[in-house]
Amino acid sequence: MSTSNIVSLDAVALSRAIKAKQISCVEVMNAYLDQIERLNPRVNAIVSIQPRDNLLKQAADRDVQLARGDCLGWMHGFPHAVKDLEPTRGIRTTKGSPLFRNFYPRDDSIMVERIRSAGGIIIGKTNVPEFGLGSQTYNPVFGTTLNAYDQSKTCGGSSGGAAVAVALRMVPVADGSDHGGSLRNPAAWNNVFGFRTSFGRVPSQFYEVFIPSISVHGPMARTVPDLAMLLSVIAGYDPRTPLSIRQDPAEFAGPLDRDFKGTRIGWVGDFGAQIPFDSGVLELCKGSLKAFETLGCSVETATLDYPIEPVWQSWLTLRGWQIAAEFRASYSDPAQRALMKPELQWEIENGLRTTAMEVAIATRVRTAWYHAMLTFFEKYDFMIAPASQVFPFDATIHWPTEVGGVAMDTYHRWMQVMIPISMSGCPALSVPAGFNDGGLPMGIQIVGPNHAEMACMQLAHAYDQATKWVTRRPPSLLSS
């Protein structure tokens, strides 16, 4: 098979072809490395790429394993690039910061362990914003990652490199993490699927294992079956993270077909005019709702009996507190502080001023908001929300200072539509919603009740079968 034929296979088909020995792991590795050499210089999505000879040797070892009937798992022979926030044994993990420019972890994270155990070969990392802060992927170590559809625009973030790598067929699937939209926003802006999972679904070590984090890990892919299979690899209980979910992740490898006749969907839009949007975003997202109606769903505009602003303010408190706890020591060193971008310093300073009582009050608000979401899901089976408030903007701009005529008071207020979902802890799957007149992608979030990952993927799969945005509108770079 040619390079273009190999990298055009969806990941499920690629896995089957490798196991059936229709293509070798060496052929697969060569095809993806050729694709990276051809396209990555245009977008800067994959960084810290490992030497080709070493990667081909690992691929040859995978072929030897197959020859003796030993298949490691679904990702056997898959080239895989890990998000550069995630520790990878012996492979540079910079977090997009000069502070970690030459950091080579001794150990893999739990998620990377599972990817390797399933047969994946780590070829490098995917680019991120500095420490993953902000939904614009640029940093002083590797520079800016550009949108798969328009190289003058941002790809989003913080899993921006991952989304572009998947969209341009430089990797079969990708991993990511999401605090305030980091899986959902770049997926929407690169016309792929990104899944923010429930807390504990994918074991995340981070820096504290007992307090439920806002950040979670999840998969990215070009199809929902690929997304589900990667989730089946990275999900599941691990004793190092005591609050991780014990449900068998093999469930996610099951059938995705389902009848959605009579399913109730609530469209929240701008949450009752509480969140500003640029012109055209809401209209495009709302237009995608027709696809759910063709599936037999009933769709109506919905509201929640809880204001959004207290949720936002509580999120600011919790985010600053968690970031300050992580970076306090580095911040106290003037030399290290000078290497931190202003937004990180701002977060740390907010966190250092936060009192224990303010944290307690913020967690109470988060709890009340979760209960409001529970009430919502008593009436509706799913929530649908936009996956951004703006279309991809100029890649030289760090963040929009105005949205819909409203001035933004923080570097991330323009992503406010993501925060109510993050604060709820509910799973949210970003799916493509189409393109504006300028050819820029947009997406919507399919949100389900806590732990309803399978239901979200089943609805997303049905929606994708009805819309086929990924196959209908591939990036023009693929044919350039």
Side-chain angles (χ1 to χ4, degrees), residues 224-271:
V224 182
D226 291 354
L227 194 82
M229 288 303 300
L230 180 54
L231 184 58
S232 76
V233 169
I234 62 178
Y237 178 76
D238 187 284
R240 289 168 288 184
T241 57
L243 302 183
S244 53
I245 298 171
R246 290 181 178 271
Q247 180 183 354
D248 186 354
E251 174 188 338
F252 303 128
L256 293 173
D257 294 330
R258 174 178 158 186
D259 182 4
F260 283 96
K261 186 176 182 180
T263 297
R264 304 160 299 170
I265 291 178
W267 158 251
V268 295
D270 58 6
F271 285 86

Side-chain angles (χ1 to χ4, degrees), residues 142-226:
F142 297 113
T144 304
T145 299
L146 305 175
N147 193 285
Y149 283 82
D150 183 339
Q151 285 72 67
S152 70
K153 306 296 184 185
T154 176
C155 64
S158 62
S159 307
V164 175
V166 168
L168 293 178
R169 282 68 170 165
M170 292 191 286
V171 289
V173 289
D175 63 85
S177 54
D178 186 305
H179 182 119
S182 292
L183 276 160
R184 294 164 285 165
N185 159 254
W189 283 0
N190 292 278
N191 197 42
V192 296
F193 298 88
F195 200 1
R196 176 190 168 87
T197 55
S198 304
F199 173 75
R201 178 63 69 191
V202 180
S204 302
Q205 289 149 298
F206 289 115
Y207 296 91
E208 209 288 331
V209 298
F210 284 106
I211 297 176
S213 173
I214 300 171
S215 293
V216 299
H217 286 87
M220 272 189 171
R222 294 186 299 271
T223 75
V224 182
D226 291 354

Side-chain angles (χ1 to χ4, degrees), residues 106-433:
R106 291 181 302 174
D107 301 300
D108 289 327
S109 71
I110 295 172
M111 183 173 66
V112 176
E113 284 178 0
R114 291 178 172 184
I115 290 169
R116 289 195 202 263
S117 295
I121 300 171
I122 309 303
I123 63 170
K125 310 302 284 283
T126 54
N127 203 24
V128 297
E130 186 177 338
F131 290 113
L133 300 181
S135 290
Q136 217 286 51
T137 298
Y138 67 92
N139 65 65
V141 180
F142 297 113
T144 304
T145 299
L146 305 175
N147 193 285
Y149 283 82
D150 183 339
Q151 285 72 67
S152 70
K153 306 296 184 185
T154 176
C155 64
S158 62
S159 307
V164 175
V166 168
L168 293 178
R169 282 68 170 165
M170 292 191 286
V171 289
V173 289
D175 63 85
S177 54
D178 186 305
H179 182 119
S182 292
L183 276 160
R184 294 164 285 165
N185 159 254
W189 283 0
N190 292 278
N191 197 42
V192 296
F193 298 88
F195 200 1
R196 176 190 168 87
T197 55
S198 304
F199 173 75
R201 178 63 69 191
V202 180
S204 302
Q205 289 149 298
F206 289 115
Y207 296 91
E208 209 288 331
V209 298
F210 284 106
I211 297 176
S213 173
I214 300 171
S215 293
V216 299
H217 286 87
M220 272 189 171
R222 294 186 299 271
T223 75
V224 182
D226 291 354
L227 194 82
M229 288 303 300
L230 180 54
L231 184 58
S232 76
V233 169
I234 62 178
Y237 178 76
D238 187 284
R240 289 168 288 184
T241 57
L243 302 183
S244 53
I245 298 171
R246 290 181 178 271
Q247 180 183 354
D248 186 354
E251 174 188 338
F252 303 128
L256 293 173
D257 294 330
R258 174 178 158 186
D259 182 4
F260 283 96
K261 186 176 182 180
T263 297
R264 304 160 299 170
I265 291 178
W267 158 251
V268 295
D270 58 6
F271 285 86
Q274 296 182 82
I275 298 176
F277 283 79
D278 271 357
S279 176
V281 175
L282 280 175
E283 293 80 2
L284 192 155
C285 292
K286 192 170 183 180
S288 70
L289 301 177
K290 296 175 184 177
F292 296 101
E293 293 174 342
T294 66
L295 300 175
C297 301
S298 63
V299 183
E300 63 182 50
T301 300
T303 58
L304 289 95
D305 188 22
Y306 200 96
I308 295 300
E309 186 62 21
V311 180
W312 170 261
Q313 295 298 332
S314 296
W315 175 75
L316 286 180
T317 297
L318 295 173
R319 179 178 172 88
W321 168 60
Q322 291 177 344
I323 290 174
E326 180 180 344
F327 294 107
R328 176 184 56 81
S330 295
Y331 179 83
S332 65
D333 180 343
Q336 293 189 54
R337 185 191 313 163
L339 296 176
M340 297 177 174
K341 70 178 183 178
E343 292 83 358
L344 173 57
Q345 295 188 43
W346 177 82
E347 294 278 14
I348 295 169
E349 289 160 4
N350 281 349
L352 292 175
R353 290 192 298 266
T354 300
T355 67
M357 186 54 64
E358 288 170 334
V359 171
I361 292 170
T363 60
R364 294 291 181 94
V365 171
R366 188 182 185 188
T367 298
W369 171 246
Y370 174 70
H371 289 153
M373 290 284 284
L374 283 181
T375 300
F376 179 94
F377 286 122
E378 289 175 0
K379 183 175 182 180
Y380 301 102
D381 299 301
F382 296 94
M383 173 190 289
I384 303 292
S388 182
Q389 293 161 241
V390 301
F391 287 104
F393 52 85
D394 191 317
T396 63
I397 297 172
H398 288 181
W399 48 277
T401 58
E402 182 180 290
V403 174
V406 177
M408 299 289 99
D409 57 357
T410 74
Y411 76 98
H412 38 30
R413 175 76 87 153
W414 63 276
M415 289 297 295
Q416 186 178 3
V417 72
M418 298 299 198
I419 303 311
I421 314 306
S422 296
M423 288 286 277
S424 75
C426 294
L429 207 169
S430 179
V431 303

